[in-house]
Amino acid sequence: FQPERQTVVVQAMRPDVALFHGLRADRAGNVFFGYESDNTLLAEASRTVIVTVEEVVEALTPEERAGTFLPGILVHAVCEARYGAHPSAAPGAYPLDEAHLTWYAEQASSDAGYADYLRQTVHDVPDHAAYVARFVPEGWGQRGPQRLQAAGD
């Protein structure tokens, strides 16, 4: 701190809800992401935390609880949603869907195109299974969610 310098202070952000997607969660709500992130910091700041994961398991392994982990005490709800990060990547499970993201970028370049994208991918899709059937390429992430090494291993 330097008293001669002007310091600007703002009120901390307190999100109502934080949404995340991870690779695995256990029955206690502990979440393994499989990549470095600031998710814990955002979860701690949020009033409610909802996480979708590729797979719910009985218990995370010790390696999964190291480093890229969100403790269940911060999590209000976990939903198993295979391909829940699509069209983004789920590191260790599947890559970005570049074709879908290119289509999205083209559609989002106009209000009408963006409205059409939302209609096709959200409003006209009755549930997650229908989204996967319609938009996730066959064989995408065929390995499925793998048991990953802890970061740095």
Side-chain angles (χ1 to χ4, degrees), residues 1-151:
F1 178 72
Q2 299 173 342
E4 66 278 0
R5 291 189 66 175
Q6 185 177 14
T7 303
V8 177
V9 179
V10 296
Q11 185 174 357
M13 217 173 89
R14 179 95 169 130
D16 290 329
V17 179
L19 302 171
F20 302 106
H21 185 76
L23 290 183
R24 247 174 310 290
D26 65 22
R27 302 255 176 232
N30 300 305
V31 180
F32 170 65
F33 291 103
Y35 57 90
E36 293 297 321
S37 73
D38 293 329
N39 293 345
T40 301
L41 187 62
L42 182 55
E44 289 171 338
S46 301
R47 289 180 176 86
T48 302
V49 176
I50 300 170
V51 181
T52 58
V53 292
E54 295 295 310
E55 176 182 35
V56 175
V57 296
E58 284 301 315
L60 295 179
T61 66
E63 294 80 18
E64 290 170 333
R65 291 191 305 266
T68 62
F69 167 81
L70 182 63
I73 195 167
L74 299 174
V75 178
H76 294 86
V78 172
C79 305
E80 188 172 271
R82 182 86 168 104
Y83 303 114
H86 185 269
S88 295
Y94 48 87
L96 288 169
D97 184 343
E98 292 183 27
H100 187 106
L101 290 171
T102 298
W103 174 55
Y104 165 77
E106 291 166 356
Q107 293 290 95
S109 67
S110 71
D111 290 344
Y114 184 65
D116 186 53
Y117 177 84
L118 284 178
R119 181 187 57 73
Q120 290 186 60
T121 61
V122 178
H123 302 295
D124 288 353
V125 180
D127 55 31
H128 183 66
Y131 174 90
V132 169
R134 183 167 178 191
F135 295 106
V136 176
E138 190 154 339
W140 195 253
Q142 203 137 22
R143 298 182 328 206
Q146 303 297 307
R147 291 283 177 178
L148 299 180
Q149 297 290 321

